[in-house]
Amino acid sequence: MRNVAQGPIAWRSELWGSPLRALATVLLLGLLAWAGFHAFEWGVVHAVFRPDADACRAVQHGACWGVVAEKWRPMLFGRFPYEEQWRPAIAVVVLSAVTVLSAWPRSWRWWLAPLWGVALLLFVGLMHGGVAGLSVVPTSRWGGLPLTIGLAVVGLALAFPLALLLAMGRRSEWPVVRTLSASYIELVRGVPLISVLFMASFLLPLLWPAGWQPDVLVRVLMGLTLFVAAYLAEIIRGGLQAVPRGQTEVAMALGFGRWPVQRDIVLPQALRLVVPALTNSVVGTLKDTSLVTVVGLFELTGALGLALGGDPVWRPFYLEGYLFVAAVYWLLCFGLSRYSVWLERRLGTSSA
């Protein structure tokens, strides 16, 4: 209660506590007001919202949101067949719904794993087709928001168990396991993601047996999973090291085995402690999916280039298209950030 009462006083002192602070506050508020006024004038007052390219070109100092009204479907779904775009829409809803359900601690039960299996089968079935009378759509035509969310969600789901093993392996008492885990983590973290994607897309086919090569999307997903696992492993290892060693020693003295101690005592505490860092890695992974454009997979940002690059009528309005894509990314990342704060408070690890 004391902190709540002192909040407004602290803000007032910080902003107006001295003549210099008051001057800086006035200048900052004036700059924000000037920028906000011009942004509102450009984005709302003089903007064109209807899909009329001639009206957009006639406006000199206004946004053309008509490009979003005209091109939102190819922006969100890429090259997926126009008449079949209800399939990726449902696929995104299914995968997002299961992800949101999994974020609720009360749903962390045994049935969550088979539910994920069903959701992934539905996602692949809707996107690829070939079942229930759906036409086959090759992965080369997948794109937009479904590809972005699919790569991020599936990549993280596959990377997390591997990251747990790597984090525990790096703290193992066995020198061979410890060395192999540390070598893998340092090797993968020492190269950029774009090089991993290039190797997964172009180098792996040369090493694979002739006549049997995974699809490019599968290869890219493998590369993303292995890359993200190395970063998650270091985050989890930090949480493991933060748990007092005395708890492990006491539990083993009471007769608990090594693995039950890790599973029931150490890991729950470690994962609670690194929720903010894990969220930061998840947000980074979501945005890093935009790099798959360089290997021919057109996710959200790549789909924007496809939607506008080949259309000379709407090509001049890239700025509005990028702002639309940025808004989609911001909504996803902001939602993850707020969920992280909520989860910290629920688990009792928030410092606020």
Side-chain angles (χ1 to χ4, degrees):
M1 188 68 183
R2 182 180 178 183
N3 292 335
V4 174
Q6 288 182 348
I9 298 175
W11 274 93
R12 193 179 304 118
S13 174
E14 186 70 24
L15 297 177
W16 311 99
S18 67
L20 184 60
R21 289 183 178 181
L23 177 61
T25 300
V26 170
L27 291 176
L28 182 59
L29 290 176
L31 179 62
L32 291 176
W34 176 83
F37 172 76
H38 285 282
F40 181 78
E41 190 177 34
W42 175 81
V44 178
V45 177
H46 300 303
V48 176
F49 293 91
R50 62 185 184 277
D52 187 342
D54 294 331
C56 288
R57 281 190 290 269
V59 175
Q60 298 295 324
H61 303 289
C64 176
W65 301 119
V67 67
V68 178
E70 177 70 19
K71 295 289 187 178
W72 68 270
R73 289 182 68 164
M75 287 181 189
L76 291 181
F77 302 118
R79 294 184 293 183
F80 209 90
Y82 186 86
E83 66 280 358
E84 300 282 342
Q85 287 178 357
W86 59 271
R87 289 163 51 182
I90 295 177
V92 168
V93 171
V94 169
L95 197 58
S96 300
V98 177
T99 303
V100 172
L101 179 63
S102 302
W104 192 29
R106 290 187 179 180
S107 66
W108 296 346
R109 300 290 187 270
W110 64 269
W111 47 263
L112 195 59
L115 180 63
W116 266 103
V118 173
L120 291 176
L121 288 176
L122 284 174
F123 182 85
V124 174
L126 287 168
M127 294 294 294
H128 185 266
V131 294
L134 298 177
S135 60
V136 175
V137 178
T139 57
S140 60
R141 301 197 66 180
W142 296 14
L145 186 61
L147 185 59
T148 295
I149 293 181
L151 283 173
V153 172
V154 178
L156 286 165
L158 295 176
F160 193 79
L162 178 58
L164 278 176
L165 294 177
L166 289 170
M168 298 175 68
R170 192 161 187 178
R171 301 180 73 247
S172 174
E173 297 177 355
W174 298 342
V176 174
V177 175
R178 186 170 61 249
T179 301
L180 289 176
S181 299
S183 300
Y184 172 83
I185 292 171
E186 298 302 330
L187 176 64
V188 174
R189 291 201 309 160
V191 296
L193 175 58
I194 194 169
S195 64
V196 175
L197 296 177
F198 267 113
M199 287 189 290
S201 183
F202 302 114
L203 182 59
L204 277 183
L206 302 177
L207 304 176
W208 226 271
W212 191 81
Q213 294 181 356
D215 185 87
V216 62
L217 178 59
V218 176
R219 299 198 301 269
V220 167
L221 182 60
M222 290 170 54
L224 181 66
T225 299
L226 296 175
F227 184 85
V228 173
Y231 283 85
L232 290 178
E234 284 298 274
I235 294 173
I236 296 171
R237 185 171 71 92
L240 292 173
Q241 292 183 167
V243 178
R245 185 178 295 273
Q247 296 190 19
T248 303
E249 295 173 352
V250 170
M252 296 189 67
L254 293 175
F256 287 89
R258 183 175 298 275
W259 290 112
V261 169
Q262 294 293 324
R263 184 189 63 221
D264 300 328
I265 298 176
V266 177
L267 278 177
Q269 296 183 73
L271 295 179
R272 287 191 186 99
L273 293 172
V274 295
V275 167
L278 288 175
T279 303
N280 186 61
S281 184
V282 170
V283 170
T285 302
L286 176 64
K287 293 186 292 185
D288 284 345
T289 56
S290 59
L291 294 175
V292 302
T293 304
V294 301
V295 294
L297 295 176
F298 298 97
E299 41 63 68
L300 196 55
T301 54
L304 171 64
L306 289 176
L308 301 184
D311 191 338
V313 175
W314 295 102
R315 190 183 302 160
F317 307 107
Y318 260 104
L319 175 60
E320 290 83 350
Y322 274 115
L323 289 175
F324 170 71
V325 171
V328 175
Y329 273 112
W330 182 84
L331 286 173
L332 294 174
C333 295
F334 181 73
L336 288 170
S337 176
R338 299 315 302 170
Y339 167 72
S340 172
V341 174
W342 175 82
L343 186 61
E344 285 183 73
R345 292 175 178 171
R346 184 179 178 89
L347 297 178
T349 60
S350 177
S351 60

